[in-house]
Amino acid sequence: MTTFDLVVRGAFVLIGGNWRAAEVGVTGGVIRAVSATPLEGDRVITLADDEVLVPGIVDTHVHVNEPGRTEWEGFASATRAAAAGGVTTLIDMPLNSIPATTTVAALDAKRAVAAEKAMVNVGFWGGAVPENLGTLRELHEAGVFGFKAFLAPSGVDEFGHLDAEQLDLALEEIATFDGLLIVHAEDPGVLDASANEGGVDYHRFVESRPDAAETTAIDRVIAGVRRTGARAHILHLSSAAALPALRAARAEGLKITVETCPHYLTISEEQIADGATQFKCCPPIRDEANRDALWQALLDGDIDIVVTDHSPSTPELKFAHGGDFGLAWGGIAGLQLGLAAVWTEAARRDIPLERVLGWMSSATARFAGLESKGRIAVGADADLVVFAPDEAFTVHADRLLHKNPVSAFDGRELRGVVRQTLLAGQPVDVAPDAEPRGLLLDR
């Protein structure tokens, strides 16, 4: 009988979207066997009665912020938090690092830093900004997974937004090499027209970034994709009002995919107190009816994936100016809690865990073109998570592993505990002095 490096035995193993009793044999970091009969292993993990075995989460929207703003986050802290939350692969956004990942030299600098610190696998998005249009193929050939663009100011000076003409130029250029443009879709004209005096009133903040900011920008992306034949992806969809246009565009055959985030699915405007700027993000968390519509869109297949948009900052930036939503930094730090947060709300809605894992693991892996990730199958990478879906815990922001103790989920009781994360069949040690074993991934 073949002896594997590792055998994981469990009564509930997620295989092909279904739960099965199975033994998973791993050698050389790759799944070599999935069996209903006993396997032999040099190491054996036998799941407890309350545990399930699932593929690692693939989070394609993470701001690590290193180099340049490492006081906000960094590869060491971000990837430890990822592993603690069941994330085995993340793709880093081109901002808010300095330099932004808009040149091959900046990509090389970021890779050099990540190589020494990554506890999980890390890939990289490039950026499409006014200054690098016409040179995007160079970044594409260097291995970035696609190009992020803002249609309104990004919040940092070194990453400019594309106007309507520049958006079309970017789409035309990317279409020539079948790349992917991922878009922060808010319209600057609508935002300018909706601007108000700010302050601690959360509803006034939502009014300053209305649904129309998203729907107008998304309409522009749809028109550009129709004109150029390019592929585009709508980042962090907040407004359900954009769903009819996206549904129609996809039915037309346009190559557009859509994501949303745990904070939009688990928190509503009605729950956010005045001055509670830990909840500020752009686009904003909207009302409960909107949240229900996002869930329905996931179930209907109108939204493809769920990713965290982990976007941390220092407490000083997040809580600056006495809770003024207009002045505080916008971003939710959710990398360690994404799976538990979404599963908690899904369970409340009688949505099974396998659907959640579909949106956060297998679908995100397919979206990124990482065919060896996001599934438990022969030939797939042994990036696995031992998960206790019914165990509850209370979030304490100061105990999370990302760098700064700020969380929109602070004080919440969530369901689902990651008992162990395996990367290429080896347990990930999240201690600060543990040896980094994550790989750097190319498209």
Side-chain angles (χ1 to χ4, degrees), residues 185-316:
E186 290 184 288
D187 181 79
V190 174
L191 294 178
D192 287 346
S194 305
N196 57 36
E197 70 283 358
V200 300
D201 185 332
Y202 182 72
H203 182 67
R204 290 288 287 153
F205 171 64
V206 176
E207 288 180 329
S208 75
R209 305 188 90 96
D211 295 278
E214 285 187 81
T215 58
T216 302
I218 288 170
D219 285 346
R220 183 173 298 126
V221 174
I222 291 170
V225 169
R226 182 182 293 115
R227 186 163 47 250
T228 63
R231 294 188 295 134
H233 176 75
I234 302 301
L235 296 166
H236 45 51
L237 183 71
S238 155
S239 173
L243 288 166
L246 286 166
R247 188 181 304 117
R250 286 149 64 102
E252 184 184 334
L254 301 184
K255 293 176 284 189
I256 299 176
T257 49
V258 187
E259 71 182 36
T260 193
C261 304
H263 40 281
Y264 300 131
L265 295 170
T266 63
I267 304 168
S268 65
E269 177 184 344
E270 294 87 345
Q271 299 169 327
I272 299 176
D274 289 350
T277 49
Q278 65 269 34
F279 295 98
K280 179 183 176 180
C281 56
C282 300
I285 296 168
R286 304 188 189 277
D287 63 26
E288 187 171 351
N290 182 83
R291 181 179 63 169
D292 290 343
L294 293 178
W295 274 104
Q296 190 60 51
L298 277 167
L299 292 171
D300 292 343
D302 293 323
I303 296 175
D304 301 280
I305 58 176
V306 178
V307 294
T308 62
D309 187 11
H310 177 73
S311 186
S313 69
T314 62
E316 291 76 17

Side-chain angles (χ1 to χ4, degrees), residues 6-299:
L6 167 71
V7 170
V8 185
R9 297 172 174 155
F12 294 95
V13 179
L14 188 62
I15 300 169
N18 298 300
W19 299 105
R20 288 170 42 190
E23 304 213 352
V24 179
V26 177
T27 295
V30 175
I31 297 171
R32 306 294 183 181
V34 177
S35 175
T37 58
L39 301 175
E40 294 292 328
D42 294 333
R43 293 183 296 125
V44 176
I45 297 173
T46 301
L47 301 190
D49 291 344
D50 65 339
E51 294 175 343
V52 301
L53 185 69
V54 302
I57 300 301
V58 177
D59 192 341
T60 59
H61 193 150
V62 179
H63 294 265
V64 178
N65 306 336
E66 188 175 15
R69 288 194 175 93
T70 313
E71 70 275 15
W72 295 15
E73 191 63 282
F75 285 101
S77 53
T79 57
R80 287 202 307 274
V87 177
T88 52
T89 297
L90 64 84
I91 305 184
D92 170 65
M93 283 290 163
L95 73 163
N96 300 299
S97 55
I98 303 174
T101 317
T102 56
T103 66
V104 174
L107 174 64
D108 290 343
K110 184 173 283 193
R111 279 179 167 153
V113 174
E116 299 177 348
K117 300 180 180 181
M119 306 301 294
V120 300
N121 300 317
V122 177
F124 304 92
W125 295 107
V129 295
E131 295 79 12
N132 74 346
L133 297 182
T135 66
L136 299 179
R137 184 184 288 271
E138 297 172 18
L139 268 173
H140 177 76
E141 292 177 349
V144 298
F145 282 76
F147 302 89
K148 182 173 187 176
F150 277 75
L151 303 189
S154 69
V156 293
D157 292 340
E158 67 275 2
F159 200 94
H161 69 285
L162 303 183
D163 63 22
E165 181 181 355
Q166 291 163 340
L167 171 63
D168 282 346
L169 290 173
L171 287 167
E172 288 172 3
E173 181 179 356
I174 287 169
T176 65
F177 51 81
D178 193 30
L180 175 66
L181 188 71
I182 63 174
V183 185
H184 181 124
E186 290 184 288
D187 181 79
V190 174
L191 294 178
D192 287 346
S194 305
N196 57 36
E197 70 283 358
V200 300
D201 185 332
Y202 182 72
H203 182 67
R204 290 288 287 153
F205 171 64
V206 176
E207 288 180 329
S208 75
R209 305 188 90 96
D211 295 278
E214 285 187 81
T215 58
T216 302
I218 288 170
D219 285 346
R220 183 173 298 126
V221 174
I222 291 170
V225 169
R226 182 182 293 115
R227 186 163 47 250
T228 63
R231 294 188 295 134
H233 176 75
I234 302 301
L235 296 166
H236 45 51
L237 183 71
S238 155
S239 173
L243 288 166
L246 286 166
R247 188 181 304 117
R250 286 149 64 102
E252 184 184 334
L254 301 184
K255 293 176 284 189
I256 299 176
T257 49
V258 187
E259 71 182 36
T260 193
C261 304
H263 40 281
Y264 300 131
L265 295 170
T266 63
I267 304 168
S268 65
E269 177 184 344
E270 294 87 345
Q271 299 169 327
I272 299 176
D274 289 350
T277 49
Q278 65 269 34
F279 295 98
K280 179 183 176 180
C281 56
C282 300
I285 296 168
R286 304 188 189 277
D287 63 26
E288 187 171 351
N290 182 83
R291 181 179 63 169
D292 290 343
L294 293 178
W295 274 104
Q296 190 60 51
L298 277 167
L299 292 171

